[in-house]
Amino acid sequence: MPKTVAVLSACLILGFSAVNVHAQSQAPNAQPAATWQPITPQQRGLWLVQSIVGAQLAGEVVSSAWSTAFNNPHEYGPTWKGFGKRYGVGIAGIAIGNTIEAGVGSLWGEDPRYFRSPSGTPFGKRVKQVIKFSFDTHYEDGSVHFAYARLTGNVSNNFISNIYRPPSENDWQHALVRVGEGYLGKMAGNAFREFWPDVRKRMSHKKD
């Protein structure tokens, strides 16, 4: 257990340190390229906090409940205690992965945020954007490329978690499966941000 805590703490400190170093190195009145507005150090920190304590927590509740119902992994058992263990592991993974993404991405201006499609965009194009920006992201110059920091955080967190996962799922094969699940989770989060405001608006109109 002390070894696990030390590893988790080191990852979190590394990520936060990288964010702070990048923030201190930027000029406060720097002008963005063209019309693109790159993420500020403050916005990056806010994204990190919101990504750990925001909607993903609710998603992890669903995921942990599902795994508990099917007793996966079996070492935790199909009990409330088992649910708590699964939820704790899931939240730890979110914290590690997103902290690494924010920290590493700050070194070369990778923006971890998701932006909704402009008003009036056809549904099909919105779906494509949800999928595209699960793997790609904006950079400081406004260009869109593969999100290398996201991949780093996803892979790192899932292999690091092998340290404290039970024997039935602490090998590299399961870690790779979890990497794929991480991208599916990102896609689901993007879809929620893209479409939920529309759903909420329609629901409010029906109530009126």
Side-chain angles (χ1 to χ4, degrees), residues 122-199:
F123 178 78
K125 287 188 176 182
R126 296 178 71 183
V127 172
K128 289 181 180 179
Q129 173 158 305
V130 165
I131 298 173
K132 175 180 176 61
F133 282 94
S134 299
F135 303 94
D136 294 343
T137 195
H138 290 93
Y139 284 73
E140 286 183 337
D141 61 356
S143 61
V144 175
H145 302 291
F146 184 77
Y148 291 100
R150 183 174 305 152
L151 175 64
T152 302
N154 191 5
V155 173
S156 298
N157 114 68
N158 282 297
F159 276 86
I160 289 172
S161 70
N162 279 344
I163 298 173
Y164 52 82
R165 288 181 182 273
S168 65
E169 62 173 24
N170 65 358
D171 52 43
W172 66 268
Q173 295 94 331
H174 282 84
L176 287 180
V177 170
R178 291 193 298 271
V179 168
E181 293 174 344
Y183 275 110
L184 291 177
K186 180 65 177 178
M187 203 175 298
N190 288 352
F192 180 84
R193 295 178 181 87
E194 179 71 32
F195 297 109
W196 173 244
D198 297 332
V199 174

Side-chain angles (χ1 to χ4, degrees), residues 19-145:
V19 171
N20 291 332
V21 168
H22 181 69
Q24 295 171 3
S25 67
Q26 286 191 333
N29 297 316
Q31 295 298 315
T35 58
W36 170 248
Q37 298 295 323
I39 188 171
T40 66
Q42 294 75 18
Q43 290 170 332
R44 188 180 298 277
L46 179 61
W47 173 86
L48 176 58
V49 173
Q50 292 178 335
S51 70
I52 295 175
V53 302
Q56 285 184 299
L57 296 184
E60 193 57 42
V61 169
V62 175
S63 176
S64 299
W66 180 268
S67 297
T68 301
F70 289 91
N71 195 24
N72 181 39
H74 64 84
E75 289 92 339
Y76 290 156
T79 62
W80 279 109
K81 184 177 180 180
F83 169 84
K85 290 180 179 179
R86 293 178 178 92
Y87 186 73
V89 168
I91 295 303
I94 290 173
I96 294 171
N98 289 356
T99 300
I100 292 175
E101 179 178 354
V104 173
S106 71
L107 300 178
W108 52 74
E110 186 175 311
D111 192 337
R113 299 171 299 176
Y114 177 80
F115 292 88
R116 296 183 67 213
S117 304
S119 178
T121 301
F123 178 78
K125 287 188 176 182
R126 296 178 71 183
V127 172
K128 289 181 180 179
Q129 173 158 305
V130 165
I131 298 173
K132 175 180 176 61
F133 282 94
S134 299
F135 303 94
D136 294 343
T137 195
H138 290 93
Y139 284 73
E140 286 183 337
D141 61 356
S143 61
V144 175
H145 302 291

